[in-house]
Amino acid sequence: SESVILYERKRIHALKYEEIICITTDRPYLVITTVESLQMFIQMSLSKVGELLPDYFCLCNQSTIINLTYAYLYEEHGHFFVSLSAMLEPFEVSRRCKRNIKNKMLYINKNRGL
């Protein structure tokens, strides 16, 4: 499947995975941010959502999953950060997640021919 059905309050959304930029926690909700800057709130654990997403999504810290197809910069300034083309602020990457993100970014960019 290339999309997910989301139930948000009294609405049902059919959302393509490629439209999702990131998923962050805002307890007790998860906030799904899309390329059109739409934010949807769902009640589900971040780990459960992570199991449902394709491989190009990656946990970057304990409260954020990002879509690496939008990642254009990975840098270190004391801490590690990844920038996404559709977001203003970079996301901090935990030490635990940095190797996985670097490897996935390299793989995605290699397959894109970058």
Side-chain angles (χ1 to χ4, degrees):
S1 170
E2 295 186 13
S3 63
V4 63
I5 304 295
L6 298 173
Y7 301 93
E8 179 193 27
R9 296 184 182 113
K10 295 182 180 185
R11 297 183 290 181
I12 298 174
H13 298 276
L15 185 63
K16 292 183 179 177
Y17 289 124
E18 66 213 30
E19 295 175 355
I20 299 171
I21 295 172
C22 65
I23 302 168
T24 55
T25 56
D26 187 12
R27 288 183 176 83
Y29 298 101
L30 293 181
V31 181
I32 299 172
T33 304
T34 69
V35 290
E36 293 152 358
S37 298
L38 177 67
Q39 291 191 324
M40 291 180 253
F41 297 83
I42 61 168
Q43 282 189 297
M44 186 180 245
S45 73
L46 196 64
S47 59
K48 182 72 93 181
V49 168
E51 294 170 6
L52 303 173
L53 296 169
D55 286 343
Y56 51 88
F57 284 88
C58 192
L59 187 70
C60 77
N61 57 52
Q62 69 182 7
S63 61
T64 308
I65 293 175
I66 59 174
N67 182 339
L68 288 175
T69 60
Y70 292 100
Y72 69 91
L73 180 63
Y74 179 86
E75 60 186 336
E76 181 179 357
H77 292 290
H79 293 276
F80 296 92
F81 295 91
V82 65
S83 296
L84 304 180
S85 59
M87 301 296 285
L88 296 175
E89 295 293 319
F91 291 96
E92 186 168 351
V93 178
S94 70
R95 277 192 231 123
R96 189 183 87 208
C97 300
K98 71 179 184 178
R99 178 176 290 146
N100 193 28
I101 283 187
K102 283 169 87 172
N103 291 339
K104 282 188 174 188
M105 279 183 71
L106 290 171
Y107 178 79
I108 288 168
N109 288 329
K110 181 179 174 186
N111 287 336
R112 276 193 214 154
L114 299 177

